[in-house]
């Protein structure tokens, strides 16, 4: 799987912005992108221009997020907007996002079926953070430490809709 | 977690009844009573866990007259606090000197009733009663198993473990509230090694807690992460001359591969404030159940406010924070907001009604939560 993503040529870095619900998620995502860059798994180098946390699912789809997008739009190639669906239908979440992002081609919503920890447990059957709390005494502040556990070519991870969406957004020209 | 608190006649809080959530963000104009709510917790802490003897929780405020509503000393100050498994109320007067008239504590199967200087502890299941007497200025939280005596039911001896559980609860309760109004200069002031391991409202005592924690178990991981992310390291030394514990901060300049020692006055105020708050949340023993922070935004850049919002959201304690900052308000959900305003000299507190409707309205109008709160003529009713 990783072969198809192996970077062929060094080109101008793609500039992206990250919006997630909290600072732990932001640091985790920054760490994963660094790993993808280091492993040359995505064709174009990714440069994170800005990252912001909005605090809480209630605030991702808000005018504040629109303000952040407006402030970034001219400076970045892509804005990744991460949201939890918490088990709700993903299409409803995308619809909710559209109210804020409109038809902007630069903003790519990435919806976790449950929450970001599904990339660690590679499962969306139950709340992944709860599973981690039980098995590993996980606390939210530890999330950035889990970057090393993410293997981008793991088939189970690649099967997750949210991770596929994430890689597609990074590979998208 | 405290579910509800009702305060009467404390400063401008003539009769304020608050349902509390995990996060409570108090917003209101200057003079609306936000800081008076923080002062109430400073008063409460001093009432149940006095720092000096004889106890006078009003000393900090300049006496009872300065703490009672409209300076009317004929009024009693009273409050009720309801938690998940406890309820505590007290009624205090100050006209002829500070006196605790009545206190009541229910905890699991226990009921403690104090009337002036007499206390009865009832244990519901086996009807055993303990009795004790107290000075009028000392709270029931100053009781200890040794200061009470069984008098009635011989079966009471079997309830000793339960009584111990009650006193364990009481001793952790007195340390469970941490009110903070951080003054960065005070927080990094050297502290004598004999000072107790406690964090004062302004942050004083941090050096002593740092020394204690470092010697016992090392820095909590959350604090180490914060320091590392900001290219800082911290240590302490004890001055042989004064016996003071002095905090030492070093800044790593990665590009130059240099480490720069920083005198306390050269450590950025926002860094000191963050460290103090993180210590209050993660380093104190026992861990606090409620952290109250006045004007949380002071000295903090948006980046640190975002960090704090995540800490507040995911760390165990309950939080009450006061703010004037749109940046802070926009970090939280409409459900978390409590609006304070003043009417006829008294503080009124209300939550936003129909927050789901408000969220839809904010998206529809393209407004942020803070814009709604500051610009709407009626922010409570969207």
């Amino acid at each position: 799987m990783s072969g198809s993503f192996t970077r062929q040529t060094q080109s101008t870095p793609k500039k992206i912005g990250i919006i997630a619900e909290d600072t732990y998620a932001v640091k985790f995502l920054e760490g994963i992108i660094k790993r993808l860059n280091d492993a040359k798994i995505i064709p174009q180098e990714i440069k994170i221009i800005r990252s912001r946390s909005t605090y809480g699912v209630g605030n991702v789809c808000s005018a504040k997020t629109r303000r952040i997008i407006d402030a970034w739009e001219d400076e970045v190639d892509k804005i990744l907007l991460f949201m939890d669906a918490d088990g709700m239908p993903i299409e409803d979440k995308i619809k909710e996002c559209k109210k804020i992002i409109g038809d902007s081609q630069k903003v790519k919503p990435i919806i976790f079926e449950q929450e970001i920890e599904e990339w660690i447990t590679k499962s969306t059957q139950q709340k992944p953070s709860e599973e981690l709390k039980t098995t590993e005494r996980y606390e939210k502040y530890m999330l950035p430490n889990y970057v090393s556990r993410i293997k981008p070519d793991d088939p189970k991870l690649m099967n997750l809709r949210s991770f596929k969406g994430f890689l597609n957004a990074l590979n998208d020209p | 977690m405290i579910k509800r608190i009702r305060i009467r006649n404390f400063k401008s809080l003539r009769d304020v009844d608050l349902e509390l959530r995990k996060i409570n963000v108090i917003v209101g104009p200057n003079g609306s009573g936000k800081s008076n709510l923080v002062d109430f917790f400073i008063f409460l802490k001093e009432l149940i866990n006095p720092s000096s003897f004889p106890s006078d929780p009003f000393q900090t405020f300049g006496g009872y007259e300065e703490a009672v509503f409209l300076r009317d000393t004929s009024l009693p100050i009273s409050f009720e606090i309801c938690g998940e498994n406890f309820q505590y109320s007290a009624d205090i007067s100050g006209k002829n000197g500070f006196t605790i008239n009545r206190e009541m504590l229910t905890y699991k199967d226990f009921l403690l009733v104090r009337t002036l200087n007499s206390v009865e502890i009832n244990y519901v299941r086996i009807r055993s009663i303990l009795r004790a007497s107290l000075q009028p200025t000392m709270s029931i939280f100053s009781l200890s198993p040794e200061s009470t005596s069984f008098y009635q039911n011989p079966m009471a001896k079997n309830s000793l473990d339960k009584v111990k559980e009650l006193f364990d609860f009481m001793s952790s309760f007195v340390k469970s509230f941490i009110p903070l109004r951080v003054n960065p200069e005070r927080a990094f002031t050297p502290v004598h090694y004999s000072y107790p391991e406690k964090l004062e409202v302004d942050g004083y005592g941090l050096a002593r807690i740092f020394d204690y924690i470092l010697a016992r178990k090392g820095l909590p991981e959350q604090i180490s992460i914060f320091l590392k992310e900001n290219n800082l390291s911290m240590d302490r030394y004890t001055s042989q001359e004064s016996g003071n514990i002095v905090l030492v901060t070093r800044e790593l300049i990665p590009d130059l591969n240099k480490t720069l020692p920083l005198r306390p006055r050269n450590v950025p105020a926002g860094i000191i404030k963050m460290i103090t708050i993180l210590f209050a949340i993660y380093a104190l023993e026992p861990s606090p159940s409620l952290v109250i922070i006045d004007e949380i935004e002071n000295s903090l850049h948006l980046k640190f406010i975002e960090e704090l919002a995540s800490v507040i959201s995911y760390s165990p304690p309950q939080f009450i924070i006061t703010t004037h900052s749109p940046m802070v308000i926009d970090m939280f959900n409409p459900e978390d907001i409590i609006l304070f305003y003043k009417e006829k000299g008294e503080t009124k507190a209300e939550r936003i009604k129909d927050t789901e409707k408000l969220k839809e309205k904010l998206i529809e109008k393209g407004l942020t939560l803070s814009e709604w709160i500051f610009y709407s003529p009626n922010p409570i009713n969207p």
Side-chain angles (χ1 to χ4, degrees):
Chain A
M1 204 67 194
S2 61
S4 61
F5 286 114
T6 303
R7 194 183 300 160
Q8 300 299 319
T9 54
Q10 191 69 28
S11 54
T12 321
K14 181 187 280 185
K15 294 181 280 185
I16 68 156
I18 294 173
I19 301 174
E21 289 177 15
D22 55 74
T23 51
Y24 307 124
V26 165
K27 289 171 197 169
F28 178 68
L29 291 162
E30 287 174 347
I32 290 176
I33 289 175
K34 187 177 181 305
R35 284 200 62 168
L36 293 173
N37 271 333
D38 292 348
K40 298 188 165 76
I41 280 173
I42 31 185
Q44 193 177 2
E45 189 192 350
I46 303 294
K47 187 174 178 187
I48 301 163
I49 299 295
R50 288 272 177 192
S51 312
R52 283 264 83 93
S53 71
T54 54
Y55 171 73
V57 68
N59 259 349
V60 176
C61 283
S62 70
K64 182 189 156 188
T65 301
R66 182 68 249 177
R67 306 271 202 281
I68 297 171
I69 292 169
D70 288 344
W72 289 357
E73 234 169 0
D74 295 339
E75 288 182 50
V76 298
D77 299 313
K78 186 88 47 193
I79 296 169
L80 308 185
L81 176 60
F82 291 87
M83 262 180 91
D84 295 350
D86 292 310
M88 301 294 286
I90 286 181
E91 298 314 318
D92 289 359
K93 280 282 163 190
I94 293 177
K95 213 165 137 187
E96 204 182 319
C97 267
K98 290 282 179 194
K99 289 182 191 168
I100 289 298
I101 60 179
D103 294 322
S104 170
Q105 294 303 306
K106 277 194 177 178
V107 187
K108 174 73 185 167
I110 294 161
I111 318 288
F112 298 106
E113 284 176 56
Q114 290 285 348
E115 53 185 350
I116 195 165
E117 288 84 355
E118 68 195 38
W119 289 5
I120 302 164
T121 61
K122 287 160 263 176
S123 148
T124 56
Q125 294 310 306
Q126 54 171 314
K127 202 124 173 98
S129 61
E130 292 302 319
E131 189 185 325
L132 287 170
K133 272 180 205 167
T134 314
T135 55
E136 306 185 24
R137 303 181 74 183
Y138 170 77
E139 287 182 49
K140 192 77 177 183
Y141 80 88
M142 299 170 178
L143 180 60
N145 299 344
Y146 279 79
V147 168
S148 57
R149 291 259 294 264
I150 300 292
K151 295 192 170 52
D153 53 357
D154 180 342
K156 273 190 184 169
L157 182 61
M158 293 291 293
N159 269 338
L160 293 178
R161 180 179 169 151
S162 53
F163 197 75
K164 267 192 269 189
F166 171 61
L167 285 184
N168 286 341
L170 295 178
N171 284 311
D172 210 16
Chain B
M1 189 164 109
I2 294 180
K3 293 195 289 187
R4 184 178 153 252
I5 184 162
R6 185 173 186 184
I7 305 164
R8 293 184 208 178
N9 298 323
F10 183 82
K11 295 197 162 187
S12 65
L13 313 174
R14 194 194 66 77
D15 189 357
V16 166
D17 197 343
L18 298 172
E19 300 275 347
L20 296 179
R21 296 161 49 91
K22 150 86 172 144
I23 300 169
N24 306 275
V25 182
I26 315 290
V27 182
N30 292 110
S32 59
K34 301 185 300 299
S35 294
N36 291 345
L37 182 65
V38 179
D39 281 345
F40 169 76
F41 283 99
I42 295 170
F43 154 75
L44 175 65
K45 200 176 166 187
E46 190 60 30
L47 175 76
I48 62 178
N49 190 19
S51 57
S52 61
F53 190 82
S55 158
D56 185 359
F58 297 105
Q59 197 176 19
T60 319
F61 309 105
Y64 190 80
E65 189 181 307
E66 298 295 325
V68 70
F69 181 63
L70 294 181
R71 300 168 71 107
D72 182 351
T73 53
S74 68
L75 294 172
I77 289 173
S78 63
F79 60 84
E80 292 165 45
I81 301 169
C82 301
E84 271 153 2
N85 57 2
F86 74 91
Q87 190 167 342
Y88 172 54
S89 61
D91 181 293
I92 293 144
S93 61
K95 195 172 185 179
N96 302 310
F98 155 56
T99 307
I100 302 172
N101 300 320
R102 196 166 188 283
E103 277 179 296
M104 195 166 81
L105 173 69
T106 56
Y107 170 70
K108 294 189 174 175
D109 288 333
F110 286 99
L111 168 65
L112 283 77
V113 181
R114 178 245 187 88
T115 310
L116 293 173
N117 61 352
S118 147
V119 186
E120 269 195 11
I121 306 174
N122 298 280
Y123 179 49
V124 175
R125 285 200 185 145
I126 59 168
R127 295 182 185 170
S128 61
I129 298 177
L130 299 157
R131 285 203 164 160
S133 62
L134 274 173
Q135 291 189 27
T137 59
M138 296 301 285
S139 153
I140 49 174
F141 287 92
S142 62
L143 288 172
S144 64
E146 295 73 34
S147 62
T148 60
S149 60
F150 287 97
Y151 95 105
Q152 197 181 41
N153 192 331
M155 290 293 287
K157 283 179 185 170
N158 296 332
S159 65
L160 275 175
D161 284 349
K162 287 286 174 192
V163 174
K164 187 178 175 303
E165 191 188 332
L166 169 72
F167 284 105
D168 285 349
F169 163 75
M170 288 168 71
S171 96
S172 65
F173 184 80
V174 299
K175 292 178 182 170
S176 60
F177 309 106
I178 305 293
L180 288 175
R181 191 176 278 141
V182 179
N183 172 346
E185 206 170 310
R186 282 279 292 165
F188 262 36
T189 300
V191 181
H192 198 262
Y193 74 90
S194 63
Y195 197 76
E197 296 93 35
K198 67 178 214 173
L199 195 60
E200 299 293 347
V201 175
D202 57 8
Y204 183 77
L206 185 67
R208 178 72 183 91
I209 295 165
F210 182 91
D211 179 58
Y212 177 78
I213 292 294
L214 209 62
R216 295 262 309 234
K217 55 182 184 186
L219 278 187
E221 194 184 359
Q222 297 91 335
I223 297 170
S224 301
I225 291 171
F226 174 80
L227 292 171
K228 194 178 166 197
E229 284 177 352
N230 289 283
N231 295 319
L232 295 169
S233 66
M234 274 177 80
D235 208 339
R236 83 301 191 200
Y237 69 88
T238 304
S239 160
Q240 295 298 323
E241 280 176 15
S242 63
N244 282 339
I245 301 163
V246 183
L247 288 173
V248 183
T249 313
R250 290 188 182 83
E251 184 186 7
L252 171 73
I253 305 166
D255 298 338
L256 304 175
N257 202 19
K258 267 191 166 181
T259 302
L260 204 65
L262 297 176
R263 286 171 180 272
R265 67 172 58 181
N266 292 335
V267 181
I271 295 273
I272 298 179
K273 182 163 179 177
M274 285 293 285
I275 290 170
T276 310
I277 293 173
L278 293 176
F279 262 86
I281 297 169
Y282 297 116
L284 294 181
E285 291 176 351
S287 301
S289 61
L290 173 64
V291 178
I292 308 110
I293 309 173
D294 202 11
E295 299 197 357
I296 193 165
E297 68 273 15
N298 287 356
S299 310
L300 299 183
H301 181 269
L302 174 61
K303 182 174 172 281
F304 281 173
I305 292 175
E306 282 186 0
E307 297 264 347
L308 264 190
S310 294
V311 167
I312 286 170
S313 177
Y314 293 109
S315 62
Q318 185 177 21
F319 286 87
I320 296 175
I321 60 173
T322 77
T323 186
H324 289 291
S325 164
M327 284 194 298
V328 173
I329 294 168
D330 292 335
M331 286 286 153
F332 294 94
N333 290 321
E335 293 86 351
D336 301 326
I337 306 290
I338 302 175
L339 297 170
F340 268 35
Y341 58 97
K342 232 176 189 175
E343 226 174 58
K344 295 179 184 165
E346 67 179 270
T347 294
K348 302 282 183 186
E350 285 188 80
R351 285 195 184 268
I352 296 170
K353 296 184 176 82
D354 202 345
T355 50
E356 287 308 310
K357 188 178 169 188
L358 175 60
K359 284 177 196 171
E360 284 172 23
K361 197 166 187 168
L362 294 179
I363 292 174
E364 183 196 328
K365 303 260 183 198
L367 290 172
T368 62
L369 179 57
S370 61
E371 286 167 343
W372 171 259
I373 288 170
F374 290 134
Y375 304 142
S376 165
N378 189 7
I380 291 154
N381 294 298

